[in-house]
């Protein structure tokens, strides 16, 4: 079965969807509202499940070439610098860290030329049973399927499920990229917040500090100074990383997610990525799940005898998994930023035998990471 799709949104999820469709012989256009295609933000990591999805999309090698292995899950510390768990640098690690823009570019470069159209903000979606159409500006465009990959504030989701606004989770985060000497990656657990470091290129590191917040949108004029004060006394290289980040490049965001949707498909409209299941970042799975979505959606379209059956299969396969991961991420975030649970958490991690800890972060060490993609038949490269 072949067909045509409109993908709304040119983030990691939308580009992965276009690429997956290309691999099964469908045609697609990606409508992106930004004037230029680019990924905003700092860094991210991808776990083995996501790396397998990238390989199935045909860009596994290209992604590995711009990513850096990170030992963040193996190096757990306390603010005074003590190691609760420690990875050896020659330990194999299953996690790969990226500058967001690098991973985004790998996907964009693999999408057939002419498919991506920027400066197109979709404001409306309609459908009549066998076709779906979108409107941007004065233009209307229709296709067999519309894939909504337009992020956590998805305009398409508001049309499909009007009562599903994102929810503030009582946590906030500062992020940045700093030019520093090579670092191995680590997570420092403090009372009420944690600091994450991933290497993202030679001499460059991504950092993030996640902590609790009473209300969303609380900002100050000097975010970098505020953060420096909050992390005063934390071990090296944390102060140096913040110091090395230009003040105007410190990003401050609130952590939000979506309550579980009753479905990811309505008629010929399918939600994908954050539009369907935006999640707390604490498991590093949001973008990874959008890559999985893309592969499963395309495999369903290639494998089923009708588009409607394929979309049903996509919803049935993806909803339970992504919603369980989102639930877990929400709980992890609450636990790792809880002052009350801090002592017990640190004691428990410190007492876990190192081989047991390492087994949990091996490539097949947990149920989320064990996922394997369905095969897509490669078409023209
Ligand atoms: C602090 C933080 C850390 C994270 N760390 C990780 C991590 O380590 N690993 C991981 O896998 N995930 C991580 N995530 C999650 C990850 O960032 C998201 O899950 C992922 O970027 C979602 O991709 P997406 O393509 O679905 O949505 P988005 O990246 O939001 O892309 C949506 C795109 O749609 C466009 N758009 C929006 N509306 C319209 C419209 N109406 N018309 C046309 N275009 C539109 C936007 O401009 C944008 O380009 C993290 C998230 C946060 C907040």
């Amino acid at each position: 079965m072949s067909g045509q799709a409109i993908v709304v949104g040119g983030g990691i999820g939308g580009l992965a969807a276009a690429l997956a469709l290309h691999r099964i012989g469908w045609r697609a256009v990606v409508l992106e509202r930004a004037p230029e295609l680019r990924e905003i933000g700092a860094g991210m990591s991808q776990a083995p499940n996501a790396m397998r999805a990238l390989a199935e999309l045909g860009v596994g090698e290209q992604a590995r070439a711009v990513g850096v292995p990170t030992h963040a899950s193996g190096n757990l510390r306390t603010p005074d610098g003590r190691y609760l768990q420690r990875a050896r640098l020659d330990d194999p690690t299953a996690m790969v860290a990226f500058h967001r823009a690098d991973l985004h570019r790998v996907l964009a470069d693999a999408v057939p030329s002419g498919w991506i159209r920027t400066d197109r903000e979709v404001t409306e979606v309609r459908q009549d049973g066998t076709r779906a159409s979108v409107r941007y500006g004065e233009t209307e465009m229709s296709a067999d399927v519309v894939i909504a990959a337009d992020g956590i504030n998805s305009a398409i989701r508001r049309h499909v499920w009007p009562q599903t606004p994102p929810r503030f989770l009582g946590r906030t985060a500062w992020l940045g990229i700093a030019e520093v000497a090579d670092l191995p990656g680590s997570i420092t657990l403090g009372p009420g917040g944690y600091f994450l470091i991933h290497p993202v290129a030679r001499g460059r590191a991504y950092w993030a500090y996640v902590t609790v917040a009473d209300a969303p949108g609380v900002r100050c004029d000097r975010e970098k100074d505020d953060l420096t004060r909050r992390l005063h006394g934390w071990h090296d290289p944390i102060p140096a990383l913040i110091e090395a980040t230009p003040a105007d490049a410190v990003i401050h965001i609130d952590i939000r997610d979506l309550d579980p949707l009753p479905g990811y498909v309505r008629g010929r409209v399918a939600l994908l990525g954050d539009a369907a299941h935006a999640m707390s970042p604490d498991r590093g799975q949001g973008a990874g799940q959008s890559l999985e979505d893309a592969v499963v959606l395309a495999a369903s379209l290639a494998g089923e005898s009708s588009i409607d059956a394929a979309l049903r299969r996509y919803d049935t396969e993806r909803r339970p998994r992504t919603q369980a991961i989102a639930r877990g991420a929400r709980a992890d975030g609450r636990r790792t930023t809880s002052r009350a649970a801090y002592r017990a958490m640190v004691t428990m991690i410190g007492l876990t035998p190192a081989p047991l800890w390492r087994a949990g972060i091996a490539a097949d060490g947990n149920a989320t990471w064990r996922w394997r993609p369905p095969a897509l038949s490669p078409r023209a490269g």
Side-chain angles (χ1 to χ4, degrees), residues 9 12-13 31-33 45-46 100 120 122 150 274 284 286-288:
I12 287 174
L31 302 176
E32 165 57 49
R33 74 175 166 197
S45 61
Q46 294 305 334
R100 273 173 182 266
R120 313 281 205 282
V122 172
D150 50 346
D274 275 14

Side-chain angles (χ1 to χ4, degrees), residues 8-14 31-34 39 43-46 100 120-122 149-152 155 173 175 206 253 255 272-275 281 284-288 290:
V8 182
I12 287 174
L31 302 176
E32 165 57 49
R33 74 175 166 197
E39 178 72 17
M44 58 170 38
S45 61
Q46 294 305 334
R100 273 173 182 266
R120 313 281 205 282
E121 176 162 8
V122 172
D150 50 346
I152 186 168
L175 331 164
Y206 158 59
I253 56 159
I255 306 290
L272 179 148
D274 275 14
Q285 278 289 330
S290 77

